[in-house]
Amino acid sequence: MIKRSRLFGNKTRVTFSLPKDNPVGPVSVVGCFNGWEPGRHELQPRRDGTRTVTLNLDPGEYTFRYLATGGVWLDDEQADRIDGHGGRIVLGHAQ
């Protein structure tokens, strides 16, 4: 799941969320915003049964995927679109 909240100025707070145990093990969101670096933005467990990570992003179009244990790649069905490179989100004036 992807939740977006406009911040003061032109930034958007984007929260990436998955169920606590699906998939099992650590999961990172990786994409063009972090150089596709695994572990840099790992989803953390929350009391509501989910795990999330939140990023503050400038306007633009971003490609991302989730990377789970064992090199398993996942796309988010709530992305603005999904193609062969992963999910894409469009923020701010780039919409």
Side-chain angles (χ1 to χ4, degrees), residues 78-92:
Q78 290 191 339
D80 294 326
R81 69 180 181 271
I82 300 172
D83 59 26
H85 301 286
R88 294 181 187 269
I89 54 173
V90 180
L91 304 174

Side-chain angles (χ1 to χ4, degrees), residues 28-44:
S28 297
V29 63
V30 293
C32 60
F33 46 79
N34 64 10
W36 295 90
E37 184 180 330
R40 187 165 173 198
H41 293 109
E42 187 173 317
L43 281 73
Q44 300 298 314

Side-chain angles (χ1 to χ4, degrees), residues 63-76:
T63 303
F64 74 97
R65 295 188 86 187
Y66 298 108
L67 180 59
T69 303
V72 175
W73 291 96
L74 306 160
D75 291 316
D76 194 313

Side-chain angles (χ1 to χ4, degrees), residues 3 6-8 19-20 32-33 41 44 46 48 50 61 63 68 70 80 82 84 86 90 94:
K3 181 179 177 184
R6 291 292 305 251
L7 299 173
F8 181 76
K20 182 178 178 183
C32 60
F33 46 79
H41 293 109
Q44 300 298 314
R46 305 291 175 216
D48 66 359
T50 65
E61 184 170 321
T63 303
D80 294 326
I82 300 172
V90 180

